[in-house]
């Protein structure tokens, strides 16, 4: 984890201070993913790659009777997340921990083995071993739980010049859209006897997927 953590800390040491302001213009679909969590009272909600805590705070406000947990490999981002949760008055409801998304022990980190809702928002496109991160997310789902993924799509309905410019822009931040994300989700779901539904948003700019584990 040390190499990944060091890389992310270098990238976000300064960016984290403007991250939420700048990313709101192109990390589209995050709020819709939070709406679709439809978390019930008492649910445990985990965000993998929680960054600045933006989604956790919105989730805590949307589902006031849920318990929220966030992990990230970057201590710099977690510092921003911790400060933001305190400012929002939600530090008592949001637990944060440093961990590698591809291999973490939720019981050691948070004292619980599984979660009713797991969310990954625009993190898979930054995780080199993203398939392993997905598999880990599947494995910590509680019976009847659901995994919610939002990330860059194939941009099929958008002009080629826009797609080329977007790819160049994302590459500057070591972001690599996973164009086979839907296939990977479907395969992992089938292996585990789960269902998977997905759709594209904004003419293919983003993909929003929900994986459901049976009760």
């Amino acid at each position: 984890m040390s190499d990944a953590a060091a890389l992310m800390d270098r990238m976000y040491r300064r960016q984290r201070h403007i991250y939420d302001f700048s990313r709101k213009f192109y990390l589209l679909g995050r709020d819709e993913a939070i709406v679709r969590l439809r978390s019930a009272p008492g649910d445990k909600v985990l965000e993998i790659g929680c960054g600045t805590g933006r989604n956790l705070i919105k989730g805590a406000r949307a589902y006031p009777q849920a318990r929220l947990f966030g992990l990230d490999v970057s201590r710099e981002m977690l510092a921003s997340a911790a400060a933001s949760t305190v400012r929002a008055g939600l530090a008592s409801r949001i637990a944060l921990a440093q961990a590698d998304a591809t291999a973490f022990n939720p019981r050691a980190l948070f004292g619980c083995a599984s979660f009713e809702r797991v969310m990954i928002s625009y993190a898979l496109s930054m995780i080199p071993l993203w398939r392993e991160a997905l598999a880990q997310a599947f494995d910590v789902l509680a019976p009847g739980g659901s995994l919610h993924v939002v990330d860059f799509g194939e941009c099929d309905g958008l002009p080629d010049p826009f797609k080329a410019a977007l790819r160049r822009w994302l590459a500057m931040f070591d972001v690599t859209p996973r164009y086979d994300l839907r296939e990977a989700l479907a395969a992992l779901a089938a292996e585990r006897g789960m269902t998977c539904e997905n759709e594209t948003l904004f003419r293919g700019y983003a993909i929003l997927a929900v994986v459901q584990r049976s009760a």
Side-chain angles (χ1 to χ4, degrees):
M1 182 175 70
S2 58
D3 290 345
L7 175 62
M8 291 297 100
D9 281 346
R10 286 196 299 272
M11 181 178 297
Y12 290 120
R13 186 164 289 120
R14 293 181 177 83
Q15 282 191 48
R16 66 187 177 92
H17 300 292
I18 61 169
Y19 185 92
D20 288 336
F21 173 77
S22 61
R23 267 56 174 186
K24 69 180 181 180
F25 297 108
Y26 65 92
L27 298 188
L28 308 179
R30 294 179 295 172
D31 290 345
E32 180 62 23
I34 293 170
V35 168
R36 296 193 190 190
L37 289 174
R38 298 184 176 91
S39 182
D43 277 356
K44 300 182 296 295
V45 180
L46 170 69
E47 183 177 15
I48 296 174
C50 65
T52 63
R54 181 260 189 197
N55 295 331
L56 291 171
I57 291 170
K58 284 186 171 287
R61 288 171 174 162
Y63 306 105
Q65 293 180 291
R67 298 166 56 197
L68 289 97
F69 305 84
L71 64 85
D72 202 285
V73 75
S74 170
R75 291 189 182 277
E76 294 288 341
M77 292 298 257
L78 287 171
S80 287
S84 294
T85 57
V86 169
R87 285 196 300 271
L90 294 167
S92 63
R93 291 187 50 220
I94 299 174
L96 302 168
Q98 184 192 29
D100 187 328
T102 67
F104 61 90
N105 183 336
R107 189 175 294 281
L109 294 174
F110 302 119
C112 53
S114 61
F115 306 84
E116 284 72 31
R117 300 288 183 271
V118 177
M119 181 175 176
I120 311 178
S121 168
Y122 286 96
L124 294 173
S125 48
M126 297 200 67
I127 299 172
L129 299 177
W130 63 275
R131 294 175 184 274
E132 287 82 348
L134 263 185
Q136 179 77 2
F138 273 74
D139 291 342
V140 299
L141 273 182
S146 56
L147 166 65
H148 301 252
V149 176
V150 60
D151 215 308
F152 293 104
E154 300 175 28
C155 298
D156 291 343
L158 295 168
D160 288 340
F162 176 87
K163 289 188 284 188
L166 177 64
R167 288 167 185 160
R168 288 195 298 269
W169 169 258
L170 295 177
M172 293 172 59
F173 301 98
D174 290 328
V175 176
T176 305
R178 310 305 182 186
Y179 296 123
D180 53 346
L181 175 57
R182 283 185 286 186
E183 291 78 8
L185 283 164
L188 285 169
E191 289 172 4
R192 290 162 171 76
M194 302 181 189
T195 62
C196 178
E197 297 182 355
N198 64 76
E199 64 182 278
T200 56
L201 306 175
F202 312 108
R203 298 175 64 187
Y205 181 92
I207 178 175
L208 179 57
V210 179
V211 174
Q212 186 73 44
R213 180 176 180 180
S214 59

